[in-house]
Amino acid sequence: MESTLLEADLTFTGKSFEEGIQVETQGDRILRVGRGLGEPSRRLKNRALLPGFVNAHSHAFQRFLRGRGETFPQGAGSFWTWREAMYALVESLDADRLFDISLQAFKEMLQAGMTSVGEFHYVHHLDPEQLDFAADGVVVAAAREAGIRLVFLQTFYKTGAIGQPLQGGQRRFATPDVEEYWRQVDHLQERLDLPTESLGVVGHSVRAVPLEDLEALAKGAGERGMLFHIHVEEQKQEIASSLNAYGKRPMEVVFEKIFPYLSPSRVTSIHCTHSAKNDLAAYLEAGANVCLCPLTEANLGDGFSHLPSMKQAASRGQVAIGTDSNVRFSMLEEMRLLEFAQRLRREERGAVRDEDGHIGRLLLRIATAGGARSLGLEAGAIAEGNLADFVAVDLEHPSLIFAPKETFEDALIFGGADGVIGEVCVGGQWSSVV
Ligand SMILES: [Zn+2]
C-alpha cells in the first residue's frame, strides 16, 4: 500500500506548533512522524495540522431543537422545561426526518474539525408499540453517509424517573431488559463492520436505569472489553432524587455499581457539573474520564463545573468535550467557553492551564487526546501508529493574521473564527469542508 508524506507549515506536536514536521500515513494510520523524512507528496500550504477534534458526547437528533425551546412565556425555563420540547420532537420523528437531522449534525461536526463522534444514542424506536430498534440503524447510516468516525454508544433507558414508567415520547427510548439490550448490541455489532465504526455501552443515567440493571450493564461491558458512558450529576435535582431513593449520590452509584466491573479508564461520566469535590477527586484519581459539554451546559443553564480541580486529570487525558444537545458545532468555541466561564466566575485568568502555565495546549489536549481516551480510539495525537485523523487550519484566515507561532494555540482558540477549519481527514481520507 502506498504511503503519503504530509507536510504543513505548522504541525501540533502535542506541546507546541512547529515548522518542518512531516507525517507519513498509510491506509488509515500514521506510519511515522519526524523531520527530513523525504519529499512531501502532499504539501499542506498555509495550513496548521492538528489531530482531528474528538466530540465525545452527542445526541445528533437534538440538532433540530436549535432555535426551538428558547422562548419563555411562562417565565424562566430550565433543563426540565427544555426536556419537554425535546420529547415533543422525539414523538415527531420518522426514519427520513431522523436521517436528515442526523446527517446534517454529522456534516456540521466535520465542518467544525471534529473527525470522531461518540453518539450517545437513546431514541431507539420509530414505532414505540413494536420496540423495533429501527432508529439505531438510521443514525448509523447517517454517520456513514457523512464520513465521520462513529463510536455508537448504545444506550440502556428503562425508567422516566427513578421507579417511574416511561411516558409519552420517552417510550421510544425503551430498553425493556438487559437481555434484550445485549441482543441489540450483538445485532449492531454485525452491522458496524467498517474500520470507522465501533460500539460502546451506556446506562443513560441513574434516573433512567435501575441499579441492578446498571450493575449488569457494567459487568457485561467489562466482560466484552467495551467502554461505558453515563450522564452524571448535570442537575442538582438528579442528585436529590438519587439521595432520596438510594441514600447515595449518582457518583457514589458509579463507584459501587460500575467501577468493580471494568477499568475506570474505560468509564466516562458526562457533565459532573454538581459533583461533590471529594467524589470528583476520587473518581479522577481512579483514572476515570469526565466529558464536559460547555455550550450545552451554558444553553441549558446547568451551572459551572469544577474545572480548576480537573487540571491534572486533563493533562493525563481524562477530560473530554462533547457537543451534547448540538445547539452549535464549534470545538473552538467549546474550548474557549471552558476557560472563559471560569474567568467570569472566579474573576481570574488561566483556570485551565498545564504545568507550564499554557492554556491553549491543555484545551487542545482536552479536545483531542481526552476525547480519544473517552471513546477508546487510538487517536487524539499526531503520533506513530495512531489513526490518520487530522484537521487542517487555514493560516491565511483573517482571524489568524498576526497570530504568534509560539503561542498559536491561544490565538486559534480565543480568536479563531469557525471558518479557519480548512480540511479534515478521517482515516486517511481528506475532504475539504467548504
Ligand atoms: Zn447528553
Side-chain angles (χ1 to χ4, degrees):
M1 197 189 300
E2 237 181 77
S3 69
T4 304
L5 191 60
L6 305 169
E7 186 176 337
D9 289 13
L10 293 175
T11 298
F12 188 61
T13 63
K15 266 287 187 195
S16 56
F17 282 86
E18 292 182 26
E19 294 170 354
I21 303 280
Q22 297 182 325
V23 182
E24 187 177 15
T25 65
Q26 188 176 51
D28 69 349
R29 295 278 166 174
I30 297 171
L31 267 187
R32 289 189 297 169
V33 182
R35 293 176 187 277
L37 301 180
E39 190 59 35
S41 51
R42 188 183 169 105
R43 182 83 175 82
L44 297 164
K45 206 161 166 27
N46 299 318
R47 296 281 196 245
L49 188 68
L50 290 82
F53 297 139
V54 180
N55 178 5
H57 183 74
S58 153
H59 312 288
F61 76 97
Q62 291 179 13
R63 164 65 182 83
F64 192 76
L65 288 173
R66 193 177 295 176
R68 296 175 166 85
E70 301 283 4
T71 48
F72 307 98
Q74 265 95 47
S78 69
F79 169 84
W80 307 102
T81 54
W82 170 87
R83 206 171 62 149
E84 295 308 314
M86 188 264 281
Y87 291 155
L89 163 63
V90 165
E91 289 201 272
S92 75
L93 290 173
D94 60 21
D96 288 347
R97 197 152 188 240
L98 179 60
F99 181 84
D100 290 347
I101 297 168
S102 302
L103 178 61
Q104 178 64 24
F106 295 135
K107 281 182 174 174
E108 283 183 53
M109 288 179 202
L110 285 163
Q111 285 163 3
M114 303 171 201
T115 49
S116 310
V117 59
E119 178 61 23
F120 190 117
H121 175 77
Y122 59 87
V123 184
H124 297 302
H125 313 299
L126 294 174
D127 179 354
E129 305 306 326
Q130 299 296 322
L131 300 183
D132 54 22
F133 286 97
D136 297 358
V138 173
V139 174
V140 172
R144 199 174 288 184
E145 170 90 17
I148 196 165
R149 186 180 300 285
L150 174 70
V151 179
F152 193 77
L153 298 165
Q154 178 72 350
T155 303
F156 188 93
Y157 200 122
K158 192 171 182 180
T159 56
I162 296 174
Q164 300 295 315
L166 300 174
Q167 292 177 335
Q170 291 176 333
R171 293 184 309 136
R172 296 207 182 205
F173 312 158
T175 43
D177 56 51
V178 172
E179 290 69 33
E180 179 72 27
Y181 173 85
W182 288 119
R183 262 197 298 281
Q184 181 60 12
V185 166
D186 290 338
H187 175 67
L188 284 167
Q189 193 75 61
E190 286 164 24
R191 296 174 62 165
L192 298 190
D193 56 354
L194 298 181
T196 51
E197 298 170 351
S198 57
L199 269 179
V201 177
V202 173
H204 179 275
S205 57
V206 168
R207 68 175 188 272
V209 185
L211 298 193
E212 64 271 20
D213 292 331
L214 201 55
E215 195 163 17
L217 290 170
K219 193 160 185 277
E223 287 166 358
R224 290 164 178 246
M226 295 172 78
L227 49 88
F228 196 97
H229 282 218
I230 180 170
H231 288 122
V232 175
E233 299 177 348
E234 177 178 11
Q235 292 288 323
K236 288 176 183 163
Q237 185 179 318
E238 174 197 334
I239 300 175
S241 304
S242 179
L243 279 169
N244 193 34
Y246 303 127
K248 51 191 99 167
R249 297 181 292 280
M251 189 61 98
E252 293 177 287
V253 171
V254 171
F255 292 146
E256 285 180 27
K257 303 296 181 190
I258 298 174
F259 274 15
Y261 301 104
L262 67 170
S263 163
S265 66
R266 306 283 282 164
V267 177
T268 298
S269 293
I270 318 301
H271 301 301
C272 300
T273 315
H274 298 285
S275 296
K277 276 198 172 156
N278 288 347
D279 282 353
L280 193 58
Y283 175 85
L284 293 169
E285 194 55 41
N289 311 299
V290 170
C291 178
L292 304 168
C293 308
L295 280 166
T296 298
E297 289 156 8
N299 182 263
L300 296 181
D302 287 343
F304 293 96
S305 62
H306 295 296
L307 195 59
S309 65
M310 298 184 203
K311 283 201 299 275
Q312 283 178 332
S315 296
R316 297 192 296 263
Q318 291 171 247
V319 179
I321 286 176
T323 59
D324 197 6
S325 72
N326 297 327
V327 63
R328 178 153 157 61
F329 293 109
S330 171
M331 194 53 94
L332 297 177
E333 189 162 304
E334 298 279 4
M335 287 188 275
R336 188 180 304 154
L337 184 55
L338 269 189
E339 167 69 18
F340 278 0
Q342 300 295 329
R343 289 188 186 189
L344 288 165
R345 181 175 171 77
R346 299 159 61 86
E347 299 175 45
E348 61 183 32
R349 309 173 78 231
V352 193
R353 58 182 191 275
D354 68 10
E355 60 281 6
D356 300 320
H358 287 279
I359 296 167
R361 292 178 190 177
L362 189 58
L363 288 169
L364 277 183
R365 186 158 176 75
I366 293 172
T368 55
R373 187 181 202 259
S374 167
L375 296 183
L377 296 172
E378 291 175 317
I382 298 177
E384 197 179 304
N386 269 1
L387 291 162
D389 290 1
F390 307 105
V391 53
V393 164
D394 176 10
L395 292 171
E396 290 197 318
H397 192 278
S399 66
L400 294 176
I401 289 174
F402 309 132
K405 192 189 78 173
E406 299 72 27
T407 48
F408 178 74
E409 60 277 9
D410 298 319
L412 175 64
I413 292 167
F414 292 126
D418 291 342
V420 302
I421 307 296
E423 292 152 281
V424 289
C425 179
V426 178
Q429 301 291 318
W430 284 90
S431 55
S432 167
V433 301
V434 281

